Amino acid sequence: MHDWLNNLPKAELHLHLEGSLEPELMFRLAERNKIALPWNDVEALRSAYNFGNLQEFLDLYYAGADVLRTEQDFYDLTWAYLQKCEEQNVVHTEPFFDPQTHTDRGVPFEAALNGISAALADGRELLGISSGLILSFLRHLPEEEAFRTLEQALPYRNAFFAVGLDSSEVGHPPSKFQRVFDKARAEGFLTVAHAGEEGPPEYIWQALDLLKVSRIDHGVRAAEDPKLIARLIEEQIPLTVCPLSNTKLKVFDDMRQHNILELLEQGVKVTVNSDDPAYFGGYVTENFVALHESLGMTEEQARRLAQNSLDARLAY
Ligand SMILES: Nc1ncnc2[nH]cnc12
Ligand SMILES: [Zn+2]
């Protein structure tokens, strides 16, 4: 029905691999690893996907990620996502993974990274999808633990090209991670950060000025600060916006209130992404469809958004 949106060549720049864990795969991995899940079946799990805010979602997301134990699990997770990319004409992707979500449960860092890297390599070779991995720190944990994660990752420096910052935003400003981001940049990595999803515009200023990010993940609350909007336009700093995520997590009560098209028309370099598609009701195409159906996004606007995503790539 919306083939024209599915067929647009596009890049995905804001996708948590752990958030692409579909309920069916979660149950299959639970069985394979002999783990008891707190839900009876896929339907019971899906019916728990009702979130009042970011933290309610994160609690379930970290519980679900517990089924990921072996290198093969991480391969299967990443491969399933890449097959979706192929279906939806996502020709390039820059996914996040959160090592601490796994190492804190006793899963070896190498199991996660090797499984993901092998699937991304197969995606390049067998599906023609280019990619670059972003190693993301959990901001609700101390900076010291982010330093340990970076040290653990340095022997595998060719497996990722940037570091990011995610998890519970409010109360955990970018300034908390200034030193570890300095270290990551000194080691040659680019930087991105979630900012202005639930947190105030001040967190976006900090991500730009203290963490020296190349893109802002989410950033929709920039709209509250005209000086910040002027800077984002002037410097053409991309925002990786996630419309279905923002409505599921009540950043906006309704898709008809979403500001992505206003930002686009003001000249902000906004892009469309799925964030955690297994939890929020769809992948990139479904996000484009929602913008068309709820906000009247035109074909010309869709083309500009897709082109922005290709222009905002950082990995080659
Ligand atoms: N939308 C989001 N915001 C912050 N951290 C996340 N981790 C996974 N999804 C996230
Ligand atoms: Zn995110």
Side-chain angles (χ1 to χ4, degrees):
M1 192 167 68
H2 291 293
D3 284 356
W4 62 284
L5 290 170
N6 198 66
N7 291 344
L8 281 176
K10 43 202 171 293
E12 177 147 60
L13 307 175
H14 185 152
L15 176 283
H16 303 265
L17 284 169
E18 296 88 345
S20 71
L21 178 58
E22 290 286 345
E24 290 77 9
L25 182 56
M26 195 191 292
F27 271 84
R28 229 178 318 134
L29 297 183
E31 198 177 340
R32 187 155 94 190
N33 293 326
K34 309 208 175 351
I35 296 163
L37 286 172
W39 306 277
N40 280 337
D41 51 32
V42 162
E43 285 68 41
L45 172 56
R46 274 221 169 82
S47 66
Y49 291 180
N50 260 315
F51 311 111
N53 55 40
L54 173 59
Q55 191 58 52
E56 287 182 20
F57 157 68
L58 289 171
D59 291 343
L60 201 146
Y61 161 90
Y62 294 127
D66 188 39
V67 301
L68 297 162
R69 299 283 173 99
T70 68
E71 183 172 326
Q72 186 67 45
D73 298 341
F74 286 92
Y75 182 95
D76 293 349
L77 172 74
T78 308
W79 184 249
Y81 165 65
L82 289 166
Q83 286 180 306
K84 271 286 178 190
C85 289
E86 187 189 33
E87 266 174 53
Q88 299 201 340
N89 274 297
V90 173
V91 298
H92 178 87
T93 181
E94 296 181 5
F96 302 108
F97 95 110
D98 297 332
Q100 290 155 291
T101 299
H102 314 298
T103 54
D104 285 4
R105 299 182 287 116
V107 173
F109 178 85
E110 291 75 12
L113 187 65
N114 291 344
I116 292 168
S117 297
L120 293 176
D122 283 353
R124 254 171 253 132
E125 198 170 318
L126 304 175
L127 307 176
I129 298 170
S130 54
S131 57
L133 187 62
I134 304 172
L135 184 147
S136 208
F137 303 120
L138 297 182
R139 70 199 307 159
H140 67 277
L141 298 176
E143 188 187 35
E144 202 43 51
E145 294 184 24
F147 265 110
R148 268 210 295 282
T149 301
L150 181 60
E151 291 296 340
Q152 216 169 12
L154 285 178
Y156 309 96
R157 60 172 60 247
N158 293 328
F160 62 104
F161 76 95
V163 299
L165 188 63
D166 61 15
S167 194
S168 322
E169 185 181 10
V170 174
H172 303 285
S175 57
K176 178 178 163 186
F177 294 91
Q178 187 174 355
R179 288 141 300 262
V180 73
F181 271 63
D182 281 347
K183 164 86 172 155
R185 286 199 322 283
E187 292 286 350
F189 297 104
L190 295 176
T191 62
V192 298
H194 283 53
E197 178 186 18
E198 287 187 344
E202 168 61 18
Y203 285 18
I204 302 175
W205 287 104
Q206 287 186 14
L208 295 169
D209 291 333
L210 305 183
L211 307 187
K212 318 271 189 217
V213 296
S214 303
R215 288 194 300 248
I216 296 286
D217 297 315
H218 293 294
V220 290
R221 286 197 59 192
E224 298 165 27
D225 181 343
K227 281 209 179 75
L228 177 56
I229 289 290
R231 177 167 179 195
L232 295 174
I233 295 168
E234 166 76 20
E235 298 183 20
Q236 285 292 287
I237 295 157
L239 303 188
T240 64
V241 178
C242 308
L244 284 173
S245 165
N246 292 154
T247 52
K248 291 282 183 213
L249 302 187
K250 308 289 192 292
V251 172
F252 297 93
D253 289 335
D254 189 288
M255 192 61 83
R256 286 167 298 188
Q257 286 154 16
H258 204 289
N259 63 6
I260 185 171
L261 296 185
E262 282 151 33
L263 293 169
L264 178 71
E265 294 310 328
Q266 283 177 288
V268 181
K269 202 165 191 66
V270 282
T271 64
V272 177
N273 306 272
S274 70
D275 205 5
D276 302 286
Y279 294 91
F280 300 151
Y283 291 76
V284 178
T285 293
E286 287 80 10
N287 275 271
F288 272 95
V289 169
L291 297 181
H292 176 60
E293 291 184 342
S294 299
L295 289 176
M297 176 187 67
T298 65
E299 182 174 345
E300 184 275 328
Q301 287 175 319
R303 285 188 188 287
R304 252 192 295 154
L305 287 163
Q307 188 59 49
N308 280 355
S309 72
L310 297 169
D311 295 345
R313 285 176 287 189
L314 294 171
Y316 288 92

